Amino acid sequence: MTVRVLFVCLGNICRSPMAEAIFQRLVDDAGLSRRIEVDSAGTSAYHVGELAHPGTRRVLSRHGIAYDGRARQLAPGDATNGKTYFIAMDAENAEVLRDRFGDLPHVHRLLDFATHTPVHDVPDPYYTDNFDYVYRLVEDGCRGLLAAIRTDEGL
Ligand code: 4NP
C-alpha cells in the first residue's frame, strides 16, 4: 500500500516545495519511493502555476537537490486520495486545512517532528528572506517525519 505525504503552506512557492523536495530525497535514499508519494500545495491561489521562489531553488540546488515543480492550490480531491499525511508548515496552514476539509485524521505541523529546534512554525522566508535557516528547520522536520511514518506504517 502507498501512503501520501502532502506538504502545505500558504503560497506553495517557498516552504512546502522545499519540504517536498527534501522529503522526496530522503524517501528516495531510503528506497521507499514506491511506498510513499510526496506532493505539496498551497492554501492560497496567489502563485498557481509558478516555479518555486528563487530563494528555495537556490538553497535546494546548493544541497544538490533538483526541483522543478510548479505551485498549485489545495483541491477537494486531496482529502479523498487514500491515506494522506497533511503536513502544515505553520499553525495557520493547519487551521485552514481543518476549515476546508473538516476533521482529517492526519494533520500535523512539520516541526512537531523536528528534534533540534524548539520552534513549531516554519517562519515564512517570503517575508524574512532567510532561506538557509528555513532549510535547516525543514530538513530537521523531514527527518523526524520520515522516521515517524516508517514506524507508523511498518516501513
Ligand atoms: P510560502 O510563502 O507560503 O512558504 O510559499 C509565501 C509565498 C507567497 C506569499 C506569502 C507566503 N504571498 O503573500 O504571496
Side-chain angles (χ1 to χ4, degrees):
M1 213 184 77
T2 305
V3 295
R4 296 182 74 234
V5 177
L6 183 66
F7 294 99
V8 176
C9 65
L10 175 62
N12 193 214
I13 55 168
C14 296
R15 295 166 294 172
S16 62
M18 192 188 295
E20 179 193 345
I22 293 171
F23 194 74
Q24 183 71 64
R25 166 61 65 87
L26 295 175
V27 166
D28 290 347
D29 287 352
L32 291 171
S33 45
R34 296 221 311 256
R35 305 297 302 278
I36 305 176
E37 264 178 41
V38 190
D39 196 2
S40 67
T43 57
S44 78
Y46 301 153
H47 295 276
V48 166
E50 294 179 22
L51 289 169
H53 190 287
T56 286
R57 282 186 283 142
R58 200 175 307 124
V59 75
L60 286 173
S61 106
R62 240 193 358 261
H63 286 85
I65 300 177
Y67 183 81
D68 60 4
R70 292 189 178 259
R72 73 171 180 91
Q73 188 177 19
L74 273 176
D78 286 318
T80 55
N81 201 3
K83 182 169 184 182
T84 302
Y85 292 85
F86 291 88
I87 308 298
M89 295 298 122
D90 61 34
E92 194 180 310
N93 308 147
E95 204 176 305
V96 173
L97 274 166
R98 292 201 185 90
D99 283 352
R100 214 162 284 177
F101 293 145
D103 207 7
L104 294 164
H106 302 286
V107 178
H108 308 278
R109 274 186 298 178
L110 177 64
L111 296 186
D112 290 344
F113 300 96
T115 53
H116 295 93
T117 177
V119 174
H120 283 276
D121 287 327
V122 181
D124 199 331
Y126 189 75
Y127 304 112
T128 65
D129 211 37
N130 201 339
F131 287 87
D132 292 307
Y133 173 55
V134 166
Y135 185 95
R136 289 195 295 277
L137 292 177
V138 169
E139 184 184 29
D140 184 4
C142 282
R143 288 186 187 282
L145 173 64
L146 182 57
I149 290 175
R150 292 187 78 156
T151 301
D152 267 17
E153 304 294 330
L155 295 172

